[in-house]
Amino acid sequence: MKRLHFFLAVFMASLHSYAQLTPFAEGVKKNTLPIVYLPENVSVQFVSPEPIQYVDISAKSVIGDLPLKNVLRIRLKDSVNSADAVITIAGEKFITQFHVIRADSITARDARTEIAIDPGNTHPLDISGIGLSQNQLKQMALNLFCKRPGRAIEKTKAFDLKAELYHIYTAGDYVFIDLGYRNKTNLAYNIEDFRFHIDDKKITKATNVQSVELKPEFILFTNPFFQKTYRNIIVLKKITFPGNKVLHIELSEKQISGRVITLNITYQDVLDADTIPI
């Protein structure tokens, strides 16, 4: 019996030590979170450094929405006398929490209506499949844009327009495509859309064409038009396709009889891509 009491005492002591060593085992304490005072009839905006993926508001007295992909707007629900909520905000690579309290006549004077989420006050997220954040893709694309384009790997002409593929890079699960356009006419080119699809190299009338459209993960510039020259960095998810198919990059114009120019990229071009360290 004494031996049983001894092992029970040791077990309870180890549980106590574990609880002291893992303060987040039961979640973050509300009183340790940054406090945000929410005045009546006033909205507070949380500005995130990257697109917001998830929001949780613990109390029904506070409501919110996402007017922009990186902005969370909250306010008090109508006819609410008090509010005490924890707001959880998760981006692509971080998670953070705030303690929201209804402002009184004293705290309302110091209440902030815009709160920038500081990455230094967030906890990193390691979610498989998320990949690089939009900010990371933007920074990498900007670094590539600052490089000299060099000689074109692939090029084509149509309607006095010239499209050129300067370089292809890979980073993790992403493909960075550096391409440019030259307009030899005096008419400005009003960009309607970029389209990316994989098709057969040779198409005949008897062939059942199977076209696979790809959606870009990131486009560095969203210029509405260009006069003479245009260069951009397009980011796609890593792609594989057989040698009898080709990746078409189609640039179309907004006008009714708009000019369309298609640049073809072979799978060998993708295989020859340079690797960017992440």
Side-chain angles (χ1 to χ4, degrees):
M1 193 70 177
K2 289 181 180 179
R3 184 171 181 148
L4 177 61
H5 282 302
F6 172 76
F7 280 114
L8 183 60
V10 171
F11 176 71
M12 294 301 293
S14 64
L15 280 181
H16 178 71
S17 300
Y18 178 76
Q20 289 182 325
L21 291 173
T22 56
F24 295 102
E26 296 180 358
V28 180
K29 299 294 183 182
K30 187 188 292 186
N31 57 10
T32 65
L33 298 176
I35 295 177
V36 175
Y37 293 104
L38 187 55
E40 188 179 4
N41 299 322
V42 175
S43 296
V44 173
Q45 328 284 329
F46 294 89
V47 181
S48 168
E50 59 188 47
I52 296 172
Q53 305 295 315
Y54 167 81
V55 174
D56 179 74
I57 302 175
S58 66
K60 294 182 179 179
S61 54
V62 178
I63 57 176
D65 66 333
L66 294 169
L68 298 172
K69 62 183 179 180
N70 67 325
V71 175
L72 168 64
R73 176 174 56 194
I74 63 169
R75 65 180 178 85
L76 290 172
K77 200 170 182 179
D78 295 338
S79 35
V80 167
N81 296 324
S82 64
D84 188 346
V86 172
I87 292 186
T88 302
I89 304 172
E92 295 173 320
K93 292 289 184 179
F94 76 86
I95 187 168
T96 188
Q97 291 182 313
F98 295 90
H99 184 191
V100 177
I101 302 174
R102 186 183 190 276
D104 54 27
S105 57
I106 298 175
T107 56
R109 291 177 296 184
D110 299 324
R112 294 182 295 164
T113 58
E114 181 179 319
I115 298 170
I117 298 176
D118 184 0
N121 296 329
T122 64
H123 297 284
L125 286 177
D126 184 13
I127 304 177
S128 59
I130 291 294
L132 298 174
S133 68
Q134 291 291 298
N135 281 349
Q136 290 173 314
L137 293 176
K138 181 179 180 180
Q139 187 58 56
M140 295 176 74
L142 278 173
N143 292 340
L144 297 178
F145 184 81
C146 291
K147 294 183 178 182
R148 278 189 158 192
R151 297 182 63 181
I153 302 171
E154 302 284 356
K155 53 189 174 182
T156 188
K157 294 180 181 179
F159 307 105
D160 285 331
L161 295 169
K162 185 177 182 180
E164 297 179 310
L165 170 66
Y166 297 127
H167 220 112
I168 298 180
Y169 303 88
T170 61
D173 292 332
Y174 298 91
V175 175
F176 292 75
I177 300 174
D178 184 355
L179 72 166
Y181 296 86
R182 298 179 187 273
N183 179 16
K184 294 183 179 181
T185 71
N186 294 324
L187 298 174
Y189 193 96
N190 296 297
I191 299 173
E192 181 177 27
D193 195 16
F194 266 112
R195 292 189 63 200
F196 305 84
H197 44 96
I198 297 173
D199 296 313
D200 294 334
K201 279 185 179 180
K202 296 180 180 179
I203 300 175
T204 63
K205 292 182 179 180
T207 304
N208 291 325
V209 180
Q210 292 183 342
S211 179
V212 179
E213 186 163 0
L214 306 175
K215 295 295 183 182
E217 295 292 316
F218 179 79
I219 299 178
L220 181 58
F221 300 118
T222 55
N223 310 49
F225 72 94
F226 66 94
Q227 190 71 42
K228 290 298 182 182
T229 60
Y230 174 76
R231 185 178 165 215
N232 211 336
I233 307 291
I234 312 291
V235 184
L236 301 173
K237 271 287 190 180
K238 186 176 284 185
I239 48 178
T240 58
F241 51 91
N244 63 339
K245 293 185 180 292
V246 65
L247 171 62
H248 294 298
I249 301 179
E250 182 181 279
L251 179 67
S252 57
E253 196 175 16
K254 282 185 178 179
Q255 300 173 12
I256 296 175
S257 300
R259 295 165 286 179
V260 177
I261 184 167
T262 302
L263 183 64
N264 299 331
I265 299 178
T266 66
Y267 191 44
Q268 189 61 48
D269 293 331
V270 178
L271 293 177
D272 292 338
D274 291 334
T275 303
I276 311 171
I278 298 179

